[in-house]
Amino acid sequence: MARRFRSSSWLRDHGLLLVLLGIFVATLAAMVVTGAAVASDEQVQHGGEPISPLAYLATPDFAEATFENWESEFLQMASYVLLTAYLFQRGSAESKDPDSEEPVDEDPRHARVTAATPWPVRRGGMVLKLYEHSLLIFFSVLFLLSMALHAIGGAGAYNEEQLQHGGEPVSVLGYLGTSQFWFESMQNWQSEFLAVAAIVWASIWLRERGSPESKPVSAPHSQTG
């Protein structure tokens, strides 16, 4: 009974992450299956053979489609982490209160150190300096890595199309200079920033009871954070 309780408690404590990862795996699998179907149709139209979902995973089309989207998501998160550290939106649940001190602004060097204090805070120095910005660094690295993989996959897909139409292939660096690469990026970037702006604004006026992304239902519109 105790073991079952601990298991259910662990699932409750990590349910949000587990469900999000489950949805991610399911939608990625659906993307692979449907992407393989689209690629197969194109192959047949050009006199080729259809490809399996497994073979599709090794194609430039898959890399381009996947990392093109990841790139914009991680850019969104990195930008959000950075901008919310310095900018305010009065009344938004997504903003710090511009009129009061926030716990997230406290200098960890003045914090009371206990056994539960993260090791970088106890260590101090450059380790702490990096840890202070580790969330931004994490998403920035993922953004740059995804952008590089998007460029590699996109160059492969671009070159395949160029060769089919008698054009010249380009290098990965050359692909970065094409309007195709930046069109693929910008069509995703603009939607990410629109979505963030929408929740920043909507959380001023609208509510979702029980969600940490919302203010309390009875809170005035001017309440921030």
Side-chain angles (χ1 to χ4, degrees):
M1 180 68 70
R3 181 177 300 174
R4 185 180 308 142
F5 174 78
R6 285 197 298 270
S7 175
S8 64
S9 177
W10 186 88
L11 290 174
R12 181 202 64 195
D13 291 346
H14 303 284
L16 181 59
L17 177 61
L18 292 173
V19 169
L20 288 171
L21 289 176
I23 295 173
F24 162 70
V25 171
T27 52
L28 180 63
M31 173 190 163
V32 171
V33 171
T34 54
V38 171
S40 292
D41 288 344
E42 292 179 353
Q43 289 280 88
V44 170
Q45 289 175 9
H46 290 87
E49 296 292 328
I51 62 174
S52 67
L54 188 61
Y56 176 68
L57 290 172
T59 64
D61 285 336
F62 170 75
E64 176 190 20
T66 301
F67 296 114
E68 170 189 332
N69 284 280
W70 289 17
E71 167 195 314
S72 62
E73 300 296 340
F74 292 132
L75 172 64
Q76 177 201 63
M77 298 310 300
S79 301
Y80 196 49
V81 168
L82 178 62
L83 294 176
T84 52
Y86 299 102
L87 302 178
F88 306 96
Q89 176 56 56
R90 186 175 298 279
S92 175
E94 300 295 315
S95 170
K96 294 186 296 184
D97 189 339
D99 299 325
S100 64
E101 294 293 326
E102 297 278 350
V104 293
D105 291 321
E106 295 174 359
D107 190 335
R109 293 159 189 81
H110 302 152
R112 187 172 67 89
V113 176
T114 68
T117 302
W119 175 80
V121 179
R122 289 184 274 121
R123 179 68 174 81
M126 183 55 67
V127 172
L128 174 55
K129 190 66 177 177
L130 291 173
Y131 187 65
E132 286 181 303
H133 304 286
S134 56
L135 188 61
L136 175 61
I137 293 170
F138 174 72
F139 284 118
S140 297
V141 169
L142 289 177
F143 162 65
L144 293 173
L145 180 60
S146 298
M147 192 172 190
L149 293 172
H150 167 204
I152 293 170
Y158 181 84
N159 287 337
E160 287 182 354
E161 187 173 343
Q162 286 289 95
L163 293 173
Q164 288 175 359
H165 295 87
E168 292 294 326
V170 298
S171 65
V172 173
L173 288 178
Y175 182 64
L176 288 172
T178 65
S179 57
Q180 178 69 26
F181 172 79
W182 292 106
F183 170 70
E184 292 167 353
S185 293
M186 296 303 165
Q187 68 178 336
N188 286 290
W189 292 11
Q190 54 86 21
S191 63
E192 300 300 337
F193 286 104
L194 175 62
V196 171
I199 192 171
V200 167
W201 177 84
S203 65
I204 300 174
W205 311 102
L206 307 178
R207 309 285 189 267
E208 181 57 43
R209 183 180 176 186
S211 174
E213 300 304 312
S214 168
K215 295 183 293 189
V217 176
S218 60
H221 295 321
S222 61
Q223 179 176 315
T224 307

